[in-house]
Amino acid sequence: SRRRHTRSLCDWFRRVLFRSVQMIATYAGACTDTATKIIIVHDPINADFNWQPSNICDSDTVQFYDNSSQFPIIWNWTYGDGSFGSGETPTHQFQGGDYTIKLVATDSLCGTDSIEKDLTVYSTPHPNIGPDTGLCYGETIFLDAGYPSFTHSWSNGDQNQITSIEAGEPTY
């Protein structure tokens, strides 16, 4: 993932919870007064997110979840397919392919942070093993599921792309 953080006062005092600043004003070398100000330093926002389901197929609805630190009040999402979203937990549908998802989170104190993560959406296989077929006793037919890189699971227990079915005795 890639991160971009907007610099702010929060970056200066990242490890300090508060800081006291004092100013002494002197006039004509004799009259003085002191002013003190307490500065509360907030940690910067760190944008982060995840999604469900973790394995995504064509046309699945993906739910995004903000995991940003601090208290974001604005969420802007870019889905990498030309569309955009907003809100803390938006949903989106994708087609098969690779996408870069970007979240820009903004809090009310320390600004904006963004993060990008890559998302892969898998194409759904559509096997076609042909029309229903009649066989005579003793004949064999070979069926090809296609999709050589996919996992296959035939009802006869075979897990190869191509399986053979032998016509046994008819069942009544």
Side-chain angles (χ1 to χ4, degrees):
S1 61
R2 296 168 288 281
R3 176 179 302 283
R4 193 181 127 251
H5 180 71
T6 305
R7 298 274 179 209
S8 68
L9 177 63
C10 292
D11 291 328
W12 289 29
F13 305 113
R14 200 176 288 206
R15 298 193 194 322
V16 179
L17 298 175
F18 68 92
R19 182 175 177 121
S20 175
V21 177
Q22 188 176 60
M23 192 275 300
I24 300 171
T26 304
Y27 179 71
C31 302
T32 63
D33 194 9
T34 302
T36 302
K37 182 172 191 102
I38 302 295
I39 299 172
I40 299 171
V41 180
H42 302 275
D43 285 334
I45 186 171
N46 286 307
D48 195 18
F49 66 93
N50 67 349
W51 58 80
Q52 289 292 325
S54 55
N55 291 319
I56 305 162
C57 296
D58 278 336
S59 301
D60 281 353
T61 297
V62 179
Q63 177 82 55
F64 292 94
Y65 298 95
D66 171 59
N67 293 327
S68 301
S69 67
Q70 305 313 321
F71 303 98
I73 58 171
I74 300 171
W75 301 266
N76 291 307
W77 301 84
T78 304
Y79 298 118
D81 62 359
S83 58
F84 305 89
S86 62
E88 188 173 1
T89 57
T91 60
H92 190 69
Q93 276 190 326
F94 294 91
Q95 297 304 312
D98 294 317
Y99 302 91
T100 299
I101 311 303
K102 181 178 182 178
L103 168 62
V104 178
T106 303
D107 71 8
S108 63
L109 298 171
C110 293
T112 298
D113 190 31
S114 65
I115 187 169
E116 295 179 346
K117 294 184 179 182
D118 294 326
L119 173 85
T120 298
V121 178
Y122 301 101
S123 296
T124 303
H126 300 285
N128 180 358
I129 56 176
D132 292 346
T133 303
L135 292 179
C136 293
Y137 178 75
E139 290 184 321
T140 300
I141 187 171
F142 291 91
L143 301 175
D144 187 343
Y147 300 96
S149 62
F150 285 54
T151 301
H152 305 88
S153 181
W154 294 91
S155 58
N156 64 0
D158 196 350
Q159 295 195 353
N160 296 310
Q161 175 186 334
I162 300 172
T163 191
S164 62
I165 305 295
E166 185 176 329
E169 290 192 29
T171 54
Y172 301 99

